[in-house]
C-alpha cells in the first residue's frame, strides 16, 4: 500500500517515462508534488524503492526505472492526506470472551487482546507511515496496562543495538510525550514516522539510532511529534 504522495510520485515518474523515456529531475518532481524541498522527494523515492515499485540504476545520474505499478488504484488516494493517527484499541479491553454455557467460568482467565498492526515503521531512513490496519496480533492483557495501544512492523537495522531487528513487531502505547532516552514513534515534519530513541536538549530534539552506522538526526521542536512509546516487542523465529 502506498501513501498519497508516494502514489502521486510513482505515477508522475511513470507518465514522464512513457512520454520521453527519461526520468524527471528532482526539481521537476518537487514542483509536480508541490513540496518545499528536494529532501522530501528523496525520502519518497527511497520509500518506493524499498517497496519494490522503482529501481535506481547505479553510476548513472537521474537513472531509475519503474518496476511495477500498484495492483489496484485506491480511490481515496486522491483525497487530502491526513496526519498520521493510527487506529488504536483501549488496553483495558483485555477481557475474557463470553463463555459457552457448557464451559465453566474461571475468574482468573483472561483472553489475549487483538491489537491492530498499522503497517511498517522505519528503524533506519524514515519512511512514510502506513495508516491502514493490515492485521492484528494477540497480546497478553498484562502487557496493556491502561491506555491505548497499536503495533507496527519494523523495517531496517538502525535499532539493533537496542535489541530491535528488521522484521520484529513493536507494541506501542499511544502518547504524545516521552522522557529522554525512551524509544518512541516519532512523526517528522508531519508525514514521516520513524522508531528512534528520543533525546531533548534546549530547543533541539534528537532522534538517536542504536547502531553506530547511523547518525543521530537533529530537529527543531516543531518538526517532531511523539506518537507513542515502545512498550513491547514480538519476534518470529
Amino acid at each position: 500500500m502506498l501513501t498519497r504522495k508516494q502514489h502521486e510520485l510513482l505515477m508522475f515518474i511513470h507518465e514522464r517515462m512513457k512520454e520521453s523515456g527519461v526520468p524527471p529531475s528532482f526539481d521537476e518532481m518537487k514542483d509536480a508534488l508541490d513540496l518545499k524541498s528536494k529532501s522530501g522527494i528523496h525520502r519518497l523515492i527511497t520509500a518506493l524503492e524499498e517497496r519494490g515499485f522503482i529501481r535506481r540504476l547505479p553510476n548513472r545520474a537521474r537513472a531509475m526505472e519503474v518496476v511495477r505499478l500498484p495492483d489496484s488504484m485506491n480511490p481515496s488516494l486522491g483525497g487530502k492526506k491526513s496526519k498520521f493517527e493510527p487506529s488504536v484499541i483501549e488496553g483495558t479491553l483485555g477481557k475474557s470472551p463470553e463463555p459457552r454455557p457448557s464451559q465453566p467460568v474461571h475468574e482468573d482467565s483472561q483472553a489475549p487482546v487483538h491489537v491492530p498492526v498499522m503497517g511498517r515503521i522505519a528503524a533506519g531512513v524514515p519512511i512514510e507511515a502506513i495508516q491502514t490496519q493490515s492485521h492484528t496480533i494477540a497480546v497478553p492483557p498484562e502487557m496493556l496496562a491502561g491506555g491505548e495501544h497499536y503495533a507496527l512492523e519494523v523495517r531496517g537495522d538502525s535499532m539493533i543495538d537496542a535489541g530491535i531487528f528488521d522484521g520484529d513487531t513493536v507494541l506501542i502505547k499511544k502518547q504524545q510525550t516521552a522522557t529522554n532516552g525512551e524509544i518512541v514513534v516519532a512523526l517528522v515534519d508531519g508525514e514521516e514516522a520513524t522508531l528512534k530513541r528520543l533525546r531533548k536538549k534546549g530547543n533541539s530534539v534528537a532522534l538517536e539510532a542504536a547502531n553506530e552506522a547511523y547518525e543521530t538526526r537533529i530537529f527543531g521542536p516543531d518538526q517532531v511529534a511523539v506518537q507513542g512509546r515502545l512498550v513491547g516487542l514480538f519476534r518470529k523465529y
Side-chain angles (χ1 to χ4, degrees):
M1 178 178 176
L2 298 178
T3 64
R4 182 176 64 88
K5 285 294 186 184
Q6 290 169 359
H7 183 271
E8 289 178 1
L9 181 59
L10 178 62
M11 298 311 297
F12 179 68
I13 295 171
H14 175 63
E15 292 300 327
R16 180 59 63 87
M17 292 284 288
K18 284 201 309 181
E19 292 174 2
S20 64
V22 179
S25 68
F26 271 46
D27 284 322
E28 291 172 328
M29 289 186 276
K30 176 175 69 70
D31 293 340
L33 271 68
D34 195 26
L35 295 180
K36 295 181 179 179
S37 69
K38 288 188 286 188
S39 62
I41 293 296
H42 174 74
R43 291 190 290 264
L44 290 173
I45 288 176
T46 299
L48 289 172
E49 187 175 31
E50 288 177 343
R51 288 162 170 78
F53 288 95
I54 65 172
R55 180 187 299 118
R56 282 184 281 192
L57 306 178
N59 304 319
R60 293 172 58 188
R62 285 177 52 182
M64 67 178 70
E65 60 180 350
V66 176
V67 178
R68 66 186 180 94
L69 295 175
D71 295 333
S72 61
M73 302 302 177
N74 190 337
S76 65
L77 290 171
K80 184 178 179 181
K81 181 179 178 180
S82 60
K83 183 178 178 182
F84 172 55
E85 284 290 343
S87 299
V88 294
I89 63 167
E90 292 286 344
T92 54
L93 293 179
K95 299 179 181 179
S96 300
E98 289 295 327
R100 296 179 181 177
S102 60
Q103 295 178 333
V105 177
H106 300 284
E107 292 183 359
D108 60 346
S109 64
Q110 286 187 311
V113 178
H114 289 275
V115 173
V117 179
M118 300 307 300
R120 292 187 176 92
I121 185 75
V125 179
I127 58 177
E128 291 195 14
I130 299 176
Q131 303 183 50
T132 303
Q133 176 180 330
S134 58
H135 58 285
T136 63
I137 58 170
V139 177
E142 58 267 21
M143 294 183 68
L144 307 173
E148 303 174 350
H149 296 76
Y150 59 95
L152 294 164
E153 295 175 348
V154 174
R155 182 82 174 260
D157 62 355
S158 75
M159 298 302 290
I160 57 175
D161 290 341
I164 303 171
F165 301 115
D166 184 65
D168 286 348
T169 298
V170 289
L171 179 64
I172 305 298
K173 181 178 180 180
K174 186 183 179 185
Q175 58 187 64
Q176 297 179 340
T177 60
T179 58
N180 276 339
E182 289 186 321
I183 297 175
V184 301
V185 172
L187 189 67
V188 180
D189 292 330
E191 63 177 12
E192 298 160 293
T194 187
L195 186 71
K196 291 292 182 291
R197 195 178 299 278
L198 183 74
R199 303 285 187 189
K200 294 181 180 179
K201 186 175 181 180
N203 289 327
S204 296
V205 178
L207 298 180
E208 181 181 275
N211 182 338
E212 61 182 12
Y214 292 83
E215 294 183 355
T216 297
R217 305 178 71 213
I218 309 296
F219 299 93
D222 297 330
Q223 290 182 276
V224 177
V226 173
Q227 298 288 292
R229 175 175 60 88
L230 176 71
V231 294
L233 182 144
F234 301 87
R235 179 174 301 152
K236 294 180 180 179
Y237 293 93

